[in-house]
Amino acid sequence: MSPAAYGKNVLEMLIPALIFWGILAFSMWRDRSRYRNTAFLFIALLSTIPLISALFGPWQNAAFSFITLVIALVIFCVPVILIINGVQMIRREGKRLQNLLSLFLGIVVGVGEICAVLSILLPYAGAFQSMTKHGALKLSVLTLILVLIAFSVVYGSLVFVSFMFYTLLLQIVPHKRDFDYVIIHGCGLLGGRRVSKLLSDRLDKAIALYRKDPTPPIMIPSGGQGSDEDISEAAAMAQYLREHGIPDDHILLEDKSLTTLENLKNSKALIDARPGRKYTVLVTSNYHVYRALRYCRRIGLACTGVGAHVAAYYWPSALIREFFAVHREKKHLLLFLIGWVLMVFPVILVLFDMV
């Protein structure tokens, strides 16, 4: 391949990739909480694969095949990883429903992958044996049912992967540092009084932002008192902040909320009641930032989001919970179902035609 041909080929792959990444950047600049950003990111990532392959010049096709093979192998490993993680969650966190999510999803994805393999192999099995017309029909219908299950699982997996990648992207996108308020989302206390590891990670991230800020902001620990707690989450968080050098006059408690939405509504009311500039950041666990930003847009709270570290074993189940929580909203549930119908509709048509 000549240098001119190489350059032309790379440019042809570069242009669509730049367009899709540009669309994503513009959409995120407008609003990082929009659901469409997850789809834009997925398309941008797909457009990057041909570009990377083109960089290998004469070995472009081989590079593309290799990348595709690696992705396929990773996909087939996903159920195993999720099931192992599910077992780990049960051992460390107990057998509550929320701790079974990665195990359940691993089984579902595994079933979908098995159906995909069987739908490919079954027609070949029928080709090597004599079969009545009725038997051939039953085999064809069974194959289509397997394809329908496989397509459904693939569709759900792609939507989830898009959501996961965007959640990760939110953690690395640069943000300003000169904040006026830092909202810290609470979570359950240990023994009714003590800050948990998950909550201390959020507080440590907020403290790090406070210390890096040229004009130290007001810290708003946010969380009410649960039925099994002796004090409010906000009070426990405030004590942790004081122990780590945050002065009392930079701590503003929000101790009435019981949900994420109430955290933000009540914190916004406290901020709105005070004079001056109100540039705000919310700090929560990294898997939770996207949904929190969505609530911020809903209530008109202009802010950015920063995610705190979460233990690796805990992250998959937590992210799955966030995914289901977002798709419980009527709008996104409807969009999800419309996307599913559009993907499997051709299979459904063929299935009904054969039956």
Side-chain angles (χ1 to χ4, degrees):
M1 179 182 290
S2 67
Y6 175 79
K8 180 182 178 182
N9 187 43
V10 171
L11 183 62
E12 288 176 350
M13 298 297 107
L14 176 63
I15 291 174
L18 287 177
I19 290 173
F20 290 126
W21 282 106
I23 291 172
L24 171 65
F26 177 75
S27 183
M28 290 186 67
W29 174 74
R30 292 288 302 275
D31 190 344
R32 295 183 184 183
S33 68
R34 288 291 185 179
Y35 190 79
R36 61 174 178 251
N37 295 342
T38 64
F40 290 155
L41 174 60
F42 188 74
I43 295 171
L45 289 171
L46 286 181
S47 70
T48 306
I49 295 175
L51 173 60
I52 294 173
S53 302
L55 295 175
F56 287 87
W59 302 281
Q60 177 177 347
N61 292 336
F64 184 83
S65 299
F66 177 77
I67 294 172
T68 304
L69 178 61
V70 170
I71 293 173
L73 291 174
V74 170
I75 290 172
F76 276 102
C77 289
V78 165
V80 177
I81 295 171
L82 286 174
I83 290 171
I84 292 173
N85 176 254
V87 173
Q88 192 175 26
M89 279 293 294
I90 293 170
R91 288 177 176 173
R92 294 196 179 196
E93 303 290 335
K95 295 182 180 180
R96 291 180 298 172
L97 178 61
Q98 64 185 28
N99 298 332
L100 302 175
L101 291 176
S102 56
L103 176 63
F104 172 74
L105 185 61
I107 294 172
V108 170
V109 174
V111 168
E113 292 182 358
I114 291 171
C115 288
V117 172
L118 289 176
S119 66
I120 295 171
L121 296 180
L122 275 181
Y124 291 101
F128 291 103
Q129 54 183 313
S130 58
M131 197 175 273
T132 64
K133 183 177 180 181
H134 180 68
L137 176 61
K138 288 175 65 176
L139 181 62
S140 298
V141 171
L142 178 59
T143 301
L144 282 170
I145 292 174
L146 292 173
V147 170
L148 178 61
I149 296 172
F151 270 42
S152 299
V153 172
V154 167
Y155 169 72
S157 300
L158 289 177
V159 175
F160 178 76
V161 166
S162 302
F163 180 85
M164 178 187 72
F165 283 156
Y166 188 66
T167 300
L168 293 172
L169 180 63
L170 283 176
Q171 307 311 308
I172 60 175
V173 174
H175 55 78
K176 296 180 181 179
R177 295 185 180 276
D178 188 11
F179 301 112
D180 302 300
Y181 297 92
V182 179
I183 300 173
I184 313 162
H185 286 273
C187 61
L189 301 177
L190 298 176
R193 303 186 67 88
R194 292 180 290 111
V195 168
S196 65
K197 180 65 169 65
L198 190 69
L199 186 51
S200 68
D201 285 337
R202 297 179 183 183
L203 289 161
D204 290 341
K205 174 62 75 171
I207 292 168
L209 290 174
Y210 178 91
R211 290 174 176 165
K212 291 177 181 177
D213 200 313
T215 55
I218 299 297
M219 310 286 269
I220 306 180
S222 179
Q225 182 176 344
S227 59
D228 59 344
E229 295 172 338
D230 301 325
I231 59 174
S232 70
E233 293 168 7
M237 294 159 71
Q239 181 60 32
Y240 187 96
L241 293 173
R242 294 187 195 100
E243 291 171 357
H244 288 76
I246 309 300
D248 273 332
D249 59 344
H250 279 194
I251 300 175
L252 180 62
L253 265 68
E254 186 291 292
D255 57 3
K256 306 299 181 186
S257 60
L258 297 176
T259 66
T260 298
L261 185 57
E262 289 179 0
N263 283 158
L264 295 167
K265 282 182 175 179
N266 295 346
S267 297
K268 181 178 184 297
L270 292 175
I271 294 170
D272 289 344
R274 296 169 64 90
R277 203 181 70 155
K278 306 180 189 297
Y279 187 60
T280 304
V281 60
L282 64 89
V283 177
T284 185
S285 299
N286 51 28
Y287 62 82
H288 190 233
V289 171
Y290 174 69
R291 184 156 62 100
L293 287 177
R294 293 183 57 76
Y295 288 148
C296 289
R297 179 169 59 84
R298 184 187 302 179
I299 66 175
L301 174 61
C303 71
T304 190
V306 173
H309 167 77
V310 175
Y313 81 90
Y314 189 85
W315 188 79
S317 289
L319 189 65
I320 294 168
R321 289 203 307 271
E322 293 297 303
F323 179 79
F324 285 140
V326 168
H327 288 86
R328 278 203 303 266
E329 300 176 23
K330 291 181 180 178
K331 175 183 176 182
H332 296 102
L333 179 59
L334 180 61
L335 289 173
F336 181 87
L337 292 175
I338 290 173
W340 175 79
V341 170
L342 291 175
M343 183 169 185
V344 304
F345 189 65
V347 180
I348 295 174
L349 282 180
V350 175
L351 181 62
F352 277 99
D353 183 60
M354 297 187 69
V355 174

